[in-house]
Amino acid sequence: MNKKLLFIYNPHSGKGLIKQHLSDIMDVLIKEGFEITIYPTQSQGDAVEKCRLEAENFDRIVCSGGDGTLDEVVTGVMQSGHHLPIGYIPAGSTNDFGSSLGIDKEMLNAARIAGGEHSFLCDVGKFGYDYFVYVAAFGLFTEVSYATDQNLKNMLGHAAYILEGMKQLWDIPSFRMMVEHDGNIFYDEFIYGMVTNTMSVGGFKGIIPGNIELNDGLFEVTLIKTPKNPIELNEILAFLTGLSKDTELVYSFRTKEIKFTCNEEVPWTLDGEFGGATETVTVKNMQKAMEIMVE
């Protein structure tokens, strides 16, 4: 009897190229022995609900879209309590996580990987009662990915994110927080923070120092202090671009669990999508909680 596969895709992701390749992708997956149910997402959050309610009825879920689509599928599967392999066919503007896993950007090759037999147990982030695949972030530029119009993303790619991000440079918000991890507690004011499990963020590699493992049970944490003058801002930029190896203006460490507390609501982004605003949140690493298909 054929294995049952749920194929979820975002018809608007990237430049909508999935529509041109849909028939060939189905052919690849059918040849792998799957009986396929196709579901195009209708709105934000749609894939979460679909997977949460129906994961138990399938042997595998394959999704195509950007990292936000993958995030919704993983979140839905985690909420369902029914763990099954997930395949990913990248079709978005950035695809950080697909790149970290070495998943081919060519759709038919990615489809063969998604329908294949090789899987990787990967860490998943738990953000309060929500989940994320590779990054939870707050502060400067974090609104860019979900505030940028999809049509603008399709036309301009990375330039669209840069244009949207430039608007925020005129009024840099900052958040005074208490941060707790591994028995350590510190207070500081930050313009940006990210908790990651990826080798690149926003398409840029090298932001996160050291060797990165996607299944070691640890997050990489980067917290950027609020610069008091242009000299400190230049010092931060030099560190982030690799020109400087050390600075007291950036906290950088690894941890399996971290708690943030602020006296105001802080807007967060999870895998490029709005993750809500909260005064207090605990972020936990769920080691090897996701089975994802790889080459």
Side-chain angles (χ1 to χ4, degrees):
M1 189 172 75
N2 285 352
K3 299 168 287 185
K4 292 187 176 182
L5 183 147
L6 175 61
F7 182 79
I8 294 178
Y9 72 97
N10 180 350
H12 305 294
S13 189
K15 297 181 180 180
L17 291 176
I18 182 66
K19 298 173 186 176
Q20 301 174 25
H21 298 281
L22 191 57
S23 177
D24 291 332
I25 290 172
M26 293 304 101
D27 185 61
V28 169
L29 295 174
I30 288 170
K31 283 183 168 62
E32 292 290 343
F34 289 103
E35 177 184 319
I36 303 171
T37 298
I38 303 175
Y39 186 79
T41 57
Q42 305 298 301
S43 60
Q44 185 176 349
D46 192 22
V48 176
E49 193 72 0
K50 184 73 174 176
C51 293
R52 184 178 67 82
L53 295 175
E54 299 197 27
E56 63 180 349
N57 300 323
F58 294 92
D59 300 294
R60 185 172 303 182
I61 295 178
V62 174
C63 64
S64 183
D67 289 334
T69 303
L70 177 63
D71 171 272
E72 289 196 12
V73 167
V74 171
T75 296
V77 170
M78 294 295 293
Q79 290 179 354
S80 76
H82 183 82
H83 298 287
L84 72 166
I86 296 171
Y88 181 39
I89 302 174
S93 304
T94 304
N95 302 313
D96 283 309
F97 195 68
S99 298
S100 293
L101 287 171
I103 295 174
D104 202 315
K105 291 184 178 180
E106 202 284 314
M107 283 190 168
L108 294 187
N109 286 338
R112 293 185 186 98
I113 294 170
E117 298 298 326
H118 300 287
S119 65
F120 175 76
L121 288 174
C122 186
D123 297 348
V124 172
K126 192 170 191 296
F127 181 89
Y129 296 102
D130 205 345
Y131 297 90
F132 64 95
V133 175
Y134 76 98
V135 60
F138 69 87
L140 188 65
F141 298 145
T142 53
E143 292 183 14
V144 170
S145 57
Y146 60 80
T148 307
D149 180 80
Q150 183 65 55
N151 291 326
L152 193 61
K153 291 181 188 178
N154 293 346
M155 285 191 298
L156 300 178
H158 277 214
Y161 292 101
I162 294 170
L163 288 172
E164 189 69 32
M166 287 174 65
K167 298 177 185 177
Q168 297 188 17
L169 286 174
W170 300 107
D171 184 22
I172 299 176
S174 62
F175 301 95
R176 184 155 189 82
M177 289 181 161
M178 177 176 73
V179 181
E180 303 171 68
H181 74 96
D182 304 304
N184 301 305
I185 301 176
F186 58 89
Y187 301 82
D188 222 316
E189 190 170 338
F190 304 104
I191 58 169
Y192 179 79
M194 64 179 181
V195 181
T196 64
N197 188 46
T198 182
M199 296 175 186
S200 69
V201 177
F204 299 100
K205 296 184 178 181
I207 295 177
I208 307 155
N211 295 322
I212 296 167
E213 301 290 340
L214 303 183
N215 62 353
D216 60 0
L218 297 173
F219 291 124
E220 285 70 40
V221 179
T222 303
L223 301 172
I224 301 176
K225 296 168 65 172
T226 304
K228 296 182 176 63
N229 52 58
I231 295 175
E232 290 190 350
L233 178 59
N234 286 335
E235 184 178 329
I236 291 169
L237 293 174
F239 176 78
L240 295 177
T241 55
L243 295 176
S244 170
K245 299 298 182 185
D246 189 35
T247 175
E248 293 184 356
L249 298 171
V250 179
Y251 294 89
S252 183
F253 55 89
R254 287 182 167 88
T255 185
K256 63 180 179 180
E257 183 174 329
I258 185 168
K259 182 179 180 181
F260 298 90
T261 304
C262 187
N263 61 4
E264 62 180 304
E265 287 194 337
V266 179
W268 286 79
T269 176
L270 305 179
D271 297 331
E273 303 295 330
F274 182 56
T278 181
E279 293 182 3
T280 301
V281 67
T282 298
V283 186
K284 298 180 181 180
N285 186 299
M286 303 185 69
Q287 188 173 17
K288 298 182 179 180
M290 172 177 61
E291 183 179 359
I292 190 160
M293 306 311 297
V294 296
E295 191 156 21

